[in-house]
Amino acid sequence: MDKLIYDLKNNNSLDDGDLKCLLETDMYDEELYKAADAVRRANYGDSVYIRGLIEFTNYCKNDCYYCGIRRSNNNVDRYRLSKEEILACCENGYILGYRTFVLQGGEAPYYTDERICDIVSGIHKLYPDCAITLSIGEKNYESYKSFFDAGAKRFLLRHETADDEHYKRLHPESMSLDNRKRCLFDLKDIGYQVGSGFMVGSPYQTTDNLVSDLRFLQELKPDMIGIGPYINHKDTPFAGEKNGTLELTLRLVAILRLMFPYALIPATTALGTISPNGRELGLKCGANVVMPNLSPVETRKKYDLYENKICTGEEAAECRGCLERRVTLAGYNIVTDIGDVKEHA
Ligand code: 5AD
Ligand code: FES
């Protein structure tokens, strides 16, 4: 095995120069994929965990330059799901075998801490054997703590980019990388299983930025790491920018698996959007989670983070069946247990 991959896998001892080299060449790809798949199989066998994604609102007070549901996009048909509608998604999901529900939404002031806690405890009461994951953006410590106490034990918040300058080029001045990081460390401190991650190929991203992303993740030690290609949206300031590539995203999935053997790494919807079999390829490069959509079909098209997002026309049951076939064909096996992260430092 090439020394670079050996070092990456065995002691994470690659210096920044070597990491850059791995990121910039396709020379090691096949070897990287094979090594990553071996590590995922050693840690997780052929299991692929499924998480039911409920996109409960596309209202957002933020204005991130890359995101289709940003506040300034007036072409978005905004919606909010009620507690009852969210519970109906969970009921449907439970019957389909889901034991994790991921509530994702924009940063919508309507959903006060009280409302979020009420929704979370409502789900927790009805489905005590299920994990509840929140993906609702930046909050203060007390808010995060109240959601945790209400029963949410996992939280997803991508850092998006760990480079301050790059962060400023992707976000308006009202947002900061420092606050993002503060949130992530608060979440860890409270005891959440934390997921972070970044977009691959976002505008202005350099290889050095990606090295910073990997270094930041080494510092954070998240339980879950979600990455996907940046995909353009025409109603944003980045309209016309290039999309991230399948190739670089897969290379990074494999590198992440080698650097974080224990991690839960999804084969993301964005990966499936830039390539018809992107998610299957992600699984073969070390990913071990898929997150099919449980949102009501009427709202799916409206949660339009980027263009041509897949799975917007299918019922939850169709999505579940479709993914099951895809995962099996790729050589893996969907498991319906709660799918906690393995012990790690
Ligand atoms: N392309 C790809 N991913 C995007 N996200 C937001 N906008 C885009 C886009 N245009 C990702 C961000 C966010 C997650 C919910 O979706 O990384 O954290
Ligand atoms: Fe949703 Fe295929 S996974 S339709």
Side-chain angles (χ1 to χ4, degrees):
M1 185 190 298
D2 188 270
K3 181 163 181 325
L4 287 181
I5 297 179
Y6 183 87
D7 283 351
L8 187 62
K9 183 173 153 197
N10 286 285
N11 45 16
N12 263 329
S13 66
L14 278 197
D15 63 22
D16 289 359
D18 285 343
L19 257 184
K20 257 182 99 165
C21 171
L22 260 190
L23 285 166
E24 282 180 346
T25 174
D26 60 6
M27 220 164 77
Y28 305 106
D29 281 352
E30 287 306 320
E31 230 183 312
L32 264 178
Y33 301 165
K34 256 189 25 218
D37 190 50
V39 167
R40 81 87 89 212
R41 284 181 191 273
N43 285 279
Y44 285 98
D46 62 2
S47 300
V48 173
Y49 298 103
I50 51 169
R51 320 294 198 199
L53 180 64
I54 302 169
E55 300 160 332
F56 68 94
T57 181
N58 64 358
Y59 277 91
C60 193
K61 67 178 168 62
N62 288 335
D63 223 7
C64 309
Y65 302 147
Y66 46 83
C67 182
I69 62 168
R70 62 199 301 271
R71 179 186 68 212
S72 299
N73 184 2
N74 295 322
N75 295 331
V76 180
D77 183 4
R78 305 278 170 178
Y79 72 91
R80 298 185 192 103
L81 297 189
S82 65
K83 180 183 176 188
E84 290 64 38
E85 288 170 314
I86 294 171
L87 288 174
C89 293
C90 295
E91 185 183 4
N92 192 5
Y94 194 88
I95 294 166
L96 292 169
Y98 292 98
R99 294 297 176 268
T100 296
F101 302 119
V102 182
L103 266 55
Q104 185 175 90
E107 292 192 20
Y110 170 85
Y111 293 94
T112 56
D113 292 357
E114 291 66 35
R115 287 195 168 112
I116 294 289
C117 286
D118 183 47
I119 293 165
V120 168
S121 56
I123 299 173
H124 189 55
K125 215 162 71 213
L126 285 169
Y127 306 101
D129 55 334
C130 293
I132 303 169
T133 307
L134 291 176
S135 178
I136 56 175
E138 299 181 9
K139 309 274 173 183
N140 62 37
Y141 190 98
E142 290 67 38
S143 304
Y144 285 147
K145 179 79 170 72
S146 65
F147 309 149
F148 188 82
D149 293 340
K153 296 291 176 272
R154 300 176 183 166
F155 204 103
L156 306 181
L157 180 70
R158 291 186 178 178
H159 66 276
E160 311 298 358
T161 173
D163 179 277
D164 214 29
E165 286 310 304
H166 189 217
Y167 196 93
K168 289 194 181 109
R169 300 185 86 167
L170 300 182
H171 302 93
E173 239 171 84
S174 54
M175 296 176 73
S176 76
L177 180 58
D178 278 351
N179 195 47
R180 201 68 157 189
K181 289 185 176 174
R182 192 270 306 156
C183 290
L184 285 162
F185 287 105
D186 280 356
L187 290 162
K188 279 208 87 163
D189 186 63
I190 292 166
Y192 280 98
Q193 288 184 36
V194 173
S196 196
F198 54 91
M199 289 176 289
V200 178
S202 57
Y204 313 112
Q205 186 178 66
T206 63
T207 311
D208 283 323
N209 294 157
L210 290 171
V211 172
S212 306
D213 288 323
L214 297 173
R215 295 300 179 216
F216 172 66
L217 291 170
Q218 282 181 312
E219 185 191 336
L220 179 69
K221 300 189 184 67
D223 306 286
M224 299 160 272
I225 305 175
I227 65 166
Y230 163 77
I231 303 175
N232 201 59
H233 192 295
K234 64 177 174 26
D235 298 325
T236 67
F238 287 158
E241 290 281 347
K242 281 210 297 284
N243 290 345
T245 65
L246 175 70
E247 190 190 32
L248 184 55
T249 310
L250 293 177
R251 192 176 302 148
L252 271 156
V253 169
I255 290 174
L256 286 170
R257 172 55 65 205
L258 294 173
M259 290 178 81
F260 304 91
Y262 62 82
L264 293 160
I265 302 178
T268 53
T269 307
L271 196 50
T273 298
I274 49 159
S275 168
N277 59 347
R279 286 172 300 177
E280 291 86 327
L281 293 171
L283 294 174
K284 291 183 179 180
C285 294
N288 61 341
V289 173
V290 288
M291 299 171 64
N293 206 316
L294 269 185
S295 316
V297 172
E298 313 81 73
T299 62
R300 285 196 195 187
K301 277 200 175 38
K302 301 178 189 170
Y303 200 81
D304 192 21
L305 305 180
Y306 46 79
E307 280 163 18
N308 303 315
K309 191 162 157 250
I310 53 170
C311 303
T312 54
E314 284 80 4
E315 290 290 348
E318 291 173 295
C319 225
R320 170 78 172 77
C322 168
L323 259 189
E324 176 118 39
R325 284 190 298 280
R326 287 168 179 268
V327 168
T328 308
L329 275 172
Y332 302 93
N333 186 24
I334 285 204
V335 292
T336 52
D337 75 48
I338 195 163
D340 278 321
V341 71
K342 304 265 173 186
E343 285 285 318
H344 65 95

